[in-house]
Amino acid sequence: MRLNITKNFIIAFFVILAVYQTSELWFEGFSNHNFFYSFFNTSNDFDDGGLVYSLDSIIINKGNDRLIRVKNDIYKNESKNVFDNAVKLTMENGSVSPADKFNWDEIFQARAVVYRYGVEIDNVSLSKMFGFREELLKDFSERTDTVVIMPVTTIPERILVGFGNRKTNAARFYSIEKSNYAYTVYDAIGSVQGSKDIYYTASVKNGLNLFKGNIFIPQWNGSKSNYYPVKSENPFFEDDEFQQIKLERAVDVFFDNSASKWTSFSNGVFIYSDENTVVKYYPAGVLELYNYTAEKNGEEKDFYSKYKNAVSVLKKDSNIKNEYFLSGYTEDSEKTIFYFDYKINDFTIRLGENIKKNTGMRSAIEVTLNDGRVSKYRRLAYEFYSDDSKTESIEKGFISAINEVLAEIQSGGENISVSDSNEIIENAELIYILDDNEEALLSWLINVDGTDYIRPVQ
């Protein structure tokens, strides 16, 4: 009998405790409890030690005139870890080299690696990315968008690492002498595989003076090169019918307690919300999140800290199926917006003008921070895959594409050659253009004096 009384007392104690804790959660502490906090809180979800998803591409020179460009699966490539370690090793144990600019002829005489970023990054953030001491690059005034790594295996073995800016060609080089790690870097370069159909050349090495700085230009053998188009799918449709249940499952990732969210529908827009966050889905296929919590991701407001916060939010969105990279950012005293674009088949996917107009977006992913806190997150909720069932062809080279653009700019459509032009070409690149939400085809992107022009490849 006494044992039963003891058991009943214990059971009653735990029941009262459970009721008390539940009341604290739902009533007394309700105003301070944020179901979205774990989604937007980024303080402990960036354990890979670097600015992931910041690289646009890696250029590999194996010692010949055919360069390899790698855009996809960069962060899954074991060779990249070797290259990153070479940077840190050289910076921490090497010394400043006298070179103050990129000498591309010298760089491409032997094996070399070129990291190309889609944005210019301040050097304090760059030092945090690679994990070396901030003061080593602090007095280099240029913002960096290019990092060069060169292993020298002739005696004395050494590694050269350069940080610089593509527009100005200014650079700061460091070197470490008598380093056996040069052989490791050399072998890692040799192991990287590229496309069998398209290779790249450096404009400065081929005497193409029409470009501002050095451009890596895609080329191929023969009169044309075949490629796979890219298909896009809205994951919330099945057999051409909208599936609200799929949308709701996707939205649940933004909520700690999905049962707590409220649902409404207005003017074609699905709205999910609670006291702290609003999630909207628009008919154009855009997911939009607003974060109204009072918590901040951190008091630091430097580029690196804000970028960490932005990327950590993306990493928690398990519905993103394609690889993305940082393609741009804007900032003022209060607000910073990071822009990300997808990439596939080693090419960037860019939004066409129709998609931009219909969605109001500049890039496929946009993350806004106010005072270091993620306040808004927008994403084109499409998934992309390579359509291997058919092929398209690239028939127009970069010179023909540039000539067309120059003709439009200078003479209202009259034929004019590159050699007769005074315009400065800043870029010539093959990219996928998504303009109808279904299929993306390769096009030439020609940038003249900061303005992008799109031309077909046929």
Side-chain angles (χ1 to χ4, degrees):
M1 181 69 178
R2 183 172 299 174
L3 180 62
N4 288 336
I5 293 174
T6 302
K7 287 182 178 179
N8 291 337
F9 175 79
I10 293 173
I11 293 172
F13 170 77
F14 281 112
V15 168
I16 294 171
L17 180 62
V19 171
Y20 171 77
Q21 290 178 327
T22 302
S23 66
E24 283 291 299
L25 176 65
W26 289 103
F27 296 99
E28 293 183 22
F30 185 82
S31 61
N32 294 321
H33 185 75
N34 175 16
F35 290 115
F36 289 84
Y37 181 67
S38 68
F39 182 82
F40 284 105
N41 176 30
T42 61
S43 59
N44 58 0
D45 191 42
F46 205 77
D47 55 2
D48 42 17
L51 284 176
V52 297
Y53 313 117
S54 59
L55 269 177
D56 175 338
S57 57
I58 296 179
I59 303 295
I60 299 292
N61 178 41
K62 294 188 176 183
N64 54 36
D65 291 332
R66 297 195 171 200
L67 307 177
I68 296 170
R69 188 184 75 170
V70 180
K71 284 182 76 78
N72 283 100
D73 296 326
I74 290 175
Y75 296 92
K76 297 177 182 178
N77 195 315
E78 293 182 3
S79 293
K80 182 181 179 296
N81 293 329
V82 174
F83 304 149
D84 288 351
N85 290 336
V87 173
K88 184 175 181 180
L89 177 69
T90 302
M91 295 301 292
E92 291 289 355
N93 300 284
S95 58
V96 177
S97 177
D100 61 358
K101 64 180 180 180
F102 288 130
N103 185 333
W104 293 106
D105 287 330
E106 181 179 330
I107 290 170
F108 289 127
Q109 283 180 356
R111 292 193 175 187
V113 180
V114 180
Y115 283 10
R116 288 173 62 86
Y117 296 91
V119 301
E120 296 177 354
I121 302 174
D122 70 272
N123 293 306
V124 171
S125 293
L126 207 65
S127 65
K128 292 179 180 179
M129 176 181 88
F130 285 105
F132 57 78
R133 287 173 286 126
E134 296 178 17
E135 61 267 22
L136 294 177
L137 268 182
K138 219 168 189 179
D139 61 341
F140 180 51
S141 59
E142 297 283 347
R143 295 173 70 88
T144 294
D145 58 16
T146 303
V147 177
V148 174
I149 307 159
M150 296 184 295
V152 179
T153 55
T154 56
I155 298 175
E157 302 88 347
R158 63 190 185 279
I159 301 173
L160 289 169
V161 174
F163 301 85
N165 186 283
R166 292 195 289 270
K167 292 181 180 179
T168 66
N169 208 42
R172 170 70 58 83
F173 276 86
Y174 286 76
S175 65
I176 181 171
E177 306 292 331
K178 299 180 181 180
S179 173
N180 288 330
Y181 200 70
Y183 294 104
T184 304
V185 178
Y186 186 91
D187 292 339
I189 291 174
S191 69
V192 177
Q193 301 298 315
S195 168
K196 296 179 181 179
D197 301 314
I198 292 180
Y199 62 95
Y200 290 79
T201 59
S203 62
V204 293
K205 192 173 181 181
N206 288 276
L208 297 171
N209 298 324
L210 66 154
F211 293 103
K212 182 177 181 179
N214 180 52
I215 303 297
F216 296 104
I217 304 168
Q219 294 190 302
W220 52 90
N221 294 321
S223 60
K224 66 178 182 178
S225 177
N226 293 331
Y227 73 93
Y228 294 122
V230 167
K231 300 289 287 184
S232 63
E233 286 186 352
N234 187 325
F236 309 135
F237 278 79
E238 185 175 319
D239 297 328
D240 295 326
E241 291 187 5
F242 180 75
Q243 304 291 321
Q244 185 177 348
I245 186 64
K246 290 188 174 184
L247 171 62
E248 293 191 357
R249 288 171 182 167
V251 167
D252 284 348
V253 72
F254 306 123
F255 296 84
D256 277 357
N257 185 348
S258 60
S260 70
K261 68 180 185 291
W262 311 313
T263 304
S264 61
F265 182 79
S266 176
N267 298 322
V269 179
F270 289 90
I271 304 171
Y272 303 89
S273 61
D274 78 348
E275 62 174 3
N276 295 307
T277 300
V278 175
V279 182
K280 296 182 179 181
Y281 175 77
Y282 294 90
V286 174
L287 274 172
E288 185 174 75
L289 287 77
Y290 291 90
N291 176 25
Y292 297 109
T293 60
E295 292 90 345
K296 292 188 177 182
N297 300 127
E299 296 301 324
E300 296 181 348
K301 297 181 181 179
D302 60 290
F303 175 90
Y304 181 80
S305 298
K306 289 187 289 187
Y307 183 72
K308 279 201 310 181
N309 293 340
V311 170
S312 293
V313 167
L314 301 186
K315 289 173 68 178
K316 291 180 179 180
D317 187 353
S318 58
N319 296 302
I320 298 179
K321 305 301 182 185
N322 295 99
E323 190 175 355
Y324 51 87
F325 73 103
L326 179 64
S327 57
Y329 73 96
T330 59
E331 62 180 343
D332 54 34
S333 59
E334 295 183 354
K335 182 171 67 176
T336 301
I337 305 177
F338 290 102
Y339 301 94
F340 299 84
D341 282 305
Y342 292 120
K343 48 187 176 179
I344 191 171
N345 296 339
D346 284 322
F347 295 106
T348 298
I349 302 176
R350 285 275 294 267
L351 303 186
E353 293 305 316
N354 290 336
I355 302 294
K356 290 180 180 179
K357 182 179 179 180
N358 292 337
T359 61
M361 298 181 69
R362 164 178 154 177
S363 293
I365 302 173
E366 300 176 358
V367 183
T368 301
L369 290 86
N370 287 85
D371 295 324
R373 176 180 62 90
V374 176
S375 58
K376 184 179 178 181
Y377 167 39
R378 304 186 77 204
R379 178 171 67 84
L380 184 65
Y382 277 74
E383 298 172 4
F384 300 92
Y385 65 92
S386 181
D387 185 2
D388 299 346
S389 65
K390 64 177 182 178
T391 59
E392 300 286 346
S393 62
I394 311 168
E395 300 176 4
K396 184 186 298 178
F398 71 95
I399 292 293
S400 297
I402 290 173
N403 283 339
E404 290 181 7
V405 171
L406 296 180
E408 176 185 331
I409 294 173
Q410 296 183 347
S411 56
E414 293 181 13
N415 190 24
I416 185 171
S417 67
V418 169
S419 59
D420 297 329
S421 171
N422 295 320
E423 302 288 348
I424 300 298
I425 314 299
E426 297 187 11
N427 193 22
E429 181 181 5
L430 288 171
I431 61 172
Y432 283 109
I433 295 291
L434 180 68
D435 225 356
D436 62 2
N437 273 19
E438 291 183 2
E439 186 175 65
L441 300 176
L442 281 180
S443 296
W444 279 108
L445 182 150
I446 309 297
N447 185 286
V448 181
D449 292 332
T451 301
D452 288 338
Y453 297 85
I454 305 299
R455 288 295 179 271
V457 296
Q458 293 181 328

